Amino acid sequence: KCICNNGFSGPECNFTNCYRNCNGNGICLKIDENNSKCECNQGFNGIDCSSKMCPNNCSNQGICVEGQCQCNQGYAGEDCSFSSC
């Protein structure tokens, strides 16, 4: 019987326990015999670590799209922290 690395299972260790194997942006942690979850690297989140996080969560003044803030009207900057005139 094979002894599988973390995140893999099955007779030949070719099944991944985490959704999309964390997309290479995290590691798969075993919770119990039947469950596992992704522990995402810094800068990524989501069930499969596929979403890039935005700086400062866009300061709650915009939305995060693919790791880039789209600021609400009246705000600017990489993290929407600057009030524009």
Side-chain angles (χ1 to χ4, degrees):
K1 181 179 177 179
C2 291
I3 298 174
C4 303
N5 290 333
N6 193 20
F8 295 88
S9 64
E12 297 175 5
C13 298
N14 57 348
F15 299 106
T16 58
N17 295 329
C18 286
Y19 186 66
R20 295 185 179 168
N21 199 28
C22 306
N23 284 297
N25 298 321
I27 58 170
C28 186
L29 299 176
K30 192 170 188 173
I31 297 171
D32 58 34
E33 199 60 35
N34 299 311
N35 298 298
S36 57
K37 72 171 193 160
C38 291
E39 180 73 31
C40 301
N41 295 336
Q42 186 173 3
F44 293 91
N45 65 3
I47 192 168
D48 61 356
C49 300
S50 64
S51 298
K52 287 182 81 176
M53 295 175 68
C54 285
N56 285 336
N57 196 28
C58 300
S59 304
N60 294 320
Q61 300 299 335
I63 59 169
C64 184
V65 178
E66 294 295 316
Q68 302 244 332
C69 291
Q70 292 185 353
C71 302
N72 295 335
Q73 189 172 2
Y75 292 90
E78 183 179 292
D79 64 353
C80 303
S81 62
F82 298 104
S83 181
S84 59
C85 298

